[in-house]
Amino acid sequence: MEGTLDQEFVRNLALPPRPEIVAVLFEEMSRDEPNLTRVARKISADVALAAAMLKTVNSPAFGLARKLSSVPQAIDFLGMRQVAGIATGLAIRHSLSGGAAASHARFWDTAEKTALMCATFARRLRGIPADEAYTFGLFHDCGIPVLMRRFPRYEAALARANADSAQGFYEIEQAEVGTHHGVVGYYLTRSWQLPDSFCRAVLWHHDIEVFHDASLDGRVRDFVGIIHLAEHILDQAVRDGGAEWDRFRGPVLAHFGLSDEDVGSLADAAHEALAG
């Protein structure tokens, strides 16, 4: 399942460095007693990040009973780990949002919707923290904006991959540009020292074999499964459906113990969260 992990090729893509705020969050989370004041000050110092984080935690996807108005309040109410997870995803988005083209804006709009849907589903599925689901939803396709900046023809290859139900998504990218966004995202997440299960789910999220390899960390399947649920429901809302759901439907439903009726209920909850 590894695909083509060409380190020299990926190095030439000039992957963006890990944002300082992410380094601070990881440093504090590794301590027995995190310095919550330092974390709150660091997030609050970036006005755009603080505003985006409060908008996210106050969305229906996180199901809070009351609105939070400050970063310290969010830490007190949600805890350090959840706030750090959400802030990490948002900081990563900011570091990758350099493209001014309309396609970049559409990409991040879709990523944000997907992330909110993943957080909504995580509250209804077993064992997936909402903040981790949100961050993975926002970041699972992080290799795409990197490849957009590097290869002018990449968008056309991406459109073909999205529409082709016969050929594998990664195969089309590989043939066109010599790698695929799962590989690029894997190296990016590893360079930023994100958890191994997160990195591997980024690498394999278009590879159905994750559901047949019992040696994998179950969290990899959780991440891959929840992203296919979210993308399927989002695809249904904007078009007739995505090319991959037919392949992933059975394994994803079996992994989570869901029926088609359950997916319909998840879709209703997702639409409510996005509308809010």
Side-chain angles (χ1 to χ4, degrees):
M1 288 194 300
E2 290 286 345
T4 304
L5 299 179
D6 187 336
Q7 297 187 48
E8 185 61 31
F9 183 98
V10 174
R11 272 197 294 271
N12 290 335
L13 292 175
L15 299 179
R18 183 168 68 159
E20 181 186 359
I21 181 61
V22 175
V24 170
L25 292 171
F26 275 58
E27 179 184 334
E28 292 300 333
M29 282 192 293
S30 69
R31 300 181 190 276
D32 292 335
E33 296 184 10
N35 185 334
L36 303 184
T37 301
R38 181 191 182 204
V39 170
R41 285 176 178 169
K42 195 68 179 177
I43 295 174
S44 299
D46 186 329
V47 176
L49 174 61
M53 196 193 76
L54 289 171
K55 177 184 176 184
T56 298
V57 300
N58 284 323
S59 73
F62 284 85
L64 300 184
R66 63 188 180 92
K67 298 290 186 181
L68 305 180
S69 58
S70 69
V71 173
Q73 191 178 54
I75 293 174
D76 288 342
F77 198 82
L78 293 173
M80 165 70 180
R81 185 186 61 78
Q82 281 211 65
V83 167
I86 295 166
T88 295
L90 293 168
I92 287 167
R93 169 182 172 168
H94 179 72
S95 72
L96 292 172
S97 297
S103 56
H104 286 258
R106 288 195 302 271
F107 173 84
W108 288 114
D109 178 65
T110 300
E112 183 176 11
K113 289 176 181 176
T114 302
L116 289 171
M117 291 171 72
C118 287
T120 300
F121 300 160
R123 294 172 51 226
R124 291 162 172 79
L125 300 173
R126 64 177 190 272
I128 310 175
D131 61 293
E132 292 185 20
Y134 175 85
T135 301
F136 188 75
L138 192 64
F139 199 43
H140 70 287
D141 276 338
C142 61
I144 288 178
V146 176
L147 289 170
M148 279 183 175
R149 289 186 301 203
R150 176 64 178 80
F151 298 104
R153 65 183 184 277
Y154 177 71
E155 283 187 52
L158 193 63
R160 287 197 299 276
N162 275 311
D164 195 327
S165 59
Q167 193 172 3
F169 202 106
Y170 288 156
E171 292 176 35
I172 294 173
E173 291 180 285
Q174 188 82 41
E176 185 67 29
V177 299
T179 190
H180 59 71
H181 72 276
V183 168
V184 176
Y186 175 72
Y187 276 108
L188 185 56
T189 51
R190 279 191 61 187
S191 72
W192 288 352
Q193 300 173 30
L194 296 181
D196 183 68
S197 59
F198 191 103
C199 299
R200 294 189 179 279
V202 167
L203 173 61
W204 293 323
H205 68 275
H206 286 291
D207 194 331
I208 201 166
E209 289 303 312
V210 298
F211 293 101
H212 307 305
D213 187 346
S215 68
L216 288 179
D217 184 338
R219 183 51 55 85
V220 174
R221 284 185 286 277
D222 287 342
F223 283 143
V224 175
I226 206 168
I227 206 65
H228 278 283
L229 279 171
E231 290 187 336
H232 165 60
I233 291 169
L234 191 58
D235 281 336
Q236 284 189 314
V238 299
R239 47 184 179 264
D240 293 333
E244 286 199 309
W245 181 244
D246 286 344
R247 290 195 303 122
F248 278 86
R249 174 185 166 277
V252 170
L253 297 190
H255 176 68
F256 290 123
L258 299 174
S259 65
D260 287 321
E261 290 74 18
D262 295 327
V263 174
S265 297
L266 289 174
D268 291 340
H271 296 321
E272 288 177 14
L274 293 180

